[in-house]
Amino acid sequence: MPFYDYIYDTMDKSSDTLYENSLKRKEETPNVVHLTHLTTPESIYHLRFGFASLASKPYSSAWYLWLLWPVTLWSMVLTRIYRRTFVVERNRFHQLRLQTWAIPKYGIQYRLKWQKESVNNMIEEAVLEAEEKGATVLSLGGEELNRYGEVYVKKHPQLKVKLVDGSSLAVAVLLNSIPKGTTQVLLRGNLTKVAFAVAFALCQKGIQVTVLREGEYEKLDKSLGTKSEGKLVTSKSYSSCKVWLVGDDLTEEEQRKANKGTLFIPFSQLPPKKLRKDCFYHTTPAMQTPTALENVDSCENWLPRRVMSVWRIAGILHAMEGWEEHECGYTMSNIDKVWEACLKHGFQPLKVPTQSKS
């Protein structure tokens, strides 16, 4: 209400009553919850309640944010005190009410062993809260620290909310990101559930999967066995492949050894640092959202506007299709079924980059 209308008594007489009634309105409960976390201390400014101008653009480190270091430091203190998830985004997709909840932990804390119990406890509390609020699906990025969500299903076998880690959709998107006609790919990075599944699918398609490290080859060979169809090989050469599937632990030295024009496709949630101007970099697994998705006024981390990570999309699909099973632990949904459902509901694959960006 305009300030001067209040001073000169020209505001509508029902304003105060309307305001009081709005406060009594029942809190909107979500159908689908996506669980995420802060990436860096500065990422707090890229949330919707931070700076709208920053939230509307893909995440990047800006020099002027260092001027706000006292505020950043205070926010870090708050995250240690406030040990509960908070809502960072509300959306609608057809009849579904979607919410994104953030855990007040940073990306680096997920990788620290002494933080494992604290992080898992917060995730468990979020799962139980979603259950209490009547959510049908909770999606979370695949994290090995809780066996991709399986620990919560085993600890609470009566859970009605379905936990979805999005691995099957991640694999589908990765397979469809590889240029047609590719005969071999190089797989490098920490081997995750997604990495094992992608390697298996590529071998089944007759595409050679090359790994550089003997330890990674042994793990993949033990997992795939005869199912690799002889397409899993190890090599010391960095120049044999023009398509690299990369995850966490890819080193800068390894990037520099790649051939000019190499396409880097991340299978991890975090993108690699773009060191090569003469190479191409795909986004982390994600898709273009349909126009039916409402209230999208901010970017999801480093992704462009109206582009959503597959781990978040997977929960929406699970709810739209009414699937009753969990997708967590080391089990996966049918990749083809998930891909077809994704396209049916209007999500579109991103174009493979044709030129690199510095």
Side-chain angles (χ1 to χ4, degrees), residues 37-193:
H37 60 81
L38 301 170
T39 52
T40 64
E42 293 83 12
S43 64
I44 193 87
Y45 302 121
H46 291 261
L47 300 179
R48 295 174 70 176
F49 53 76
F51 293 127
S53 60
L54 292 178
S56 65
K57 300 175 183 177
Y59 174 76
S60 61
S61 182
W63 65 268
Y64 52 82
L65 291 181
W66 287 102
L67 301 176
L68 297 173
W69 70 265
V71 180
T72 306
L73 184 61
W74 178 240
S75 71
M76 294 175 67
V77 173
L78 286 178
T79 59
R80 291 184 64 86
I81 298 174
Y82 188 75
R83 301 174 60 82
R84 291 178 58 85
T85 57
F86 54 94
V87 180
V88 295
E89 191 168 355
R90 292 179 173 87
N91 307 101
R92 274 189 174 273
F93 185 59
H94 298 300
Q95 76 277 16
L96 293 181
R97 298 182 299 275
L98 317 175
Q99 289 186 7
T100 300
W101 297 356
I103 290 178
K105 291 283 187 181
Y106 302 109
I108 191 173
Q109 291 175 294
Y110 273 65
R111 298 189 289 271
L112 297 175
K113 289 184 178 180
W114 61 275
Q115 284 283 322
K116 179 179 178 180
E117 183 178 356
S118 175
V119 170
N120 277 336
N121 287 341
M122 285 189 180
I123 296 175
E124 182 180 0
E125 289 172 6
V127 170
L128 297 178
E129 184 179 353
E131 170 92 347
E132 184 180 346
K133 291 189 173 183
T136 57
V137 177
L138 183 141
S139 58
L140 67 168
E143 297 287 352
E144 290 187 81
L145 80 161
N146 50 51
R147 295 202 300 275
Y148 304 97
E150 185 182 37
V151 294
Y152 312 119
V153 174
K154 288 191 172 183
K155 187 174 182 180
H156 305 281
Q158 303 304 317
L159 274 179
K160 294 180 180 179
V161 61
K162 304 305 176 186
L163 301 190
V164 178
D165 69 7
S167 296
S168 56
L169 183 56
V171 173
V173 167
L174 288 166
L175 294 177
N176 284 277
S177 299
I178 297 173
K180 292 182 179 180
T182 299
T183 58
Q184 58 179 336
V185 301
L186 187 146
L187 184 66
R188 174 69 196 98
N190 287 340
L191 296 178
T192 62
K193 176 182 177 181

Side-chain angles (χ1 to χ4, degrees), residues 100-323:
T100 300
W101 297 356
I103 290 178
K105 291 283 187 181
Y106 302 109
I108 191 173
Q109 291 175 294
Y110 273 65
R111 298 189 289 271
L112 297 175
K113 289 184 178 180
W114 61 275
Q115 284 283 322
K116 179 179 178 180
E117 183 178 356
S118 175
V119 170
N120 277 336
N121 287 341
M122 285 189 180
I123 296 175
E124 182 180 0
E125 289 172 6
V127 170
L128 297 178
E129 184 179 353
E131 170 92 347
E132 184 180 346
K133 291 189 173 183
T136 57
V137 177
L138 183 141
S139 58
L140 67 168
E143 297 287 352
E144 290 187 81
L145 80 161
N146 50 51
R147 295 202 300 275
Y148 304 97
E150 185 182 37
V151 294
Y152 312 119
V153 174
K154 288 191 172 183
K155 187 174 182 180
H156 305 281
Q158 303 304 317
L159 274 179
K160 294 180 180 179
V161 61
K162 304 305 176 186
L163 301 190
V164 178
D165 69 7
S167 296
S168 56
L169 183 56
V171 173
V173 167
L174 288 166
L175 294 177
N176 284 277
S177 299
I178 297 173
K180 292 182 179 180
T182 299
T183 58
Q184 58 179 336
V185 301
L186 187 146
L187 184 66
R188 174 69 196 98
N190 287 340
L191 296 178
T192 62
K193 176 182 177 181
V194 170
F196 280 103
V198 168
F200 170 74
L202 289 173
C203 290
Q204 293 292 300
K205 289 176 176 288
I207 298 176
Q208 180 176 290
V209 178
T210 302
V211 293
L212 299 171
R213 300 187 180 184
E214 195 65 35
E216 292 174 357
Y217 173 80
E218 291 175 357
K219 290 179 181 179
L220 286 167
D221 188 54
K222 182 179 179 181
S223 174
L224 302 182
T226 57
K227 296 178 182 178
S228 67
E229 305 289 342
K231 291 297 181 178
L232 179 67
V233 300
T234 180
S235 173
K236 297 296 183 181
S237 173
Y238 289 79
S239 60
S240 59
C241 299
K242 296 296 288 287
V243 178
W244 287 31
L245 296 178
V246 298
D248 298 334
D249 196 37
L250 174 70
T251 67
E252 294 184 3
E253 181 184 357
E254 288 169 333
Q255 274 200 59
R256 292 191 177 96
K257 290 181 179 179
N259 276 345
K260 178 181 179 180
T262 294
L263 172 63
F264 294 98
I265 304 176
F267 60 78
S268 56
Q269 296 187 56
L270 297 176
K273 186 176 180 180
K274 298 180 180 181
L275 296 177
R276 300 282 299 273
K277 295 182 179 181
D278 58 348
C279 291
F280 309 138
Y281 291 85
H282 204 289
T283 67
T284 50
M287 299 187 77
Q288 188 78 34
T289 59
T291 55
L293 183 66
E294 301 174 12
N295 199 29
V296 182
D297 51 17
S298 59
C299 293
E300 183 180 350
N301 295 322
W302 43 81
L303 297 174
R305 190 80 165 267
R306 296 200 69 88
V307 172
M308 185 179 287
S309 69
V310 294
W311 292 277
R312 191 173 168 190
I313 295 172
I316 298 174
L317 293 180
H318 219 81
M320 291 293 292
E321 293 293 313
W323 293 329

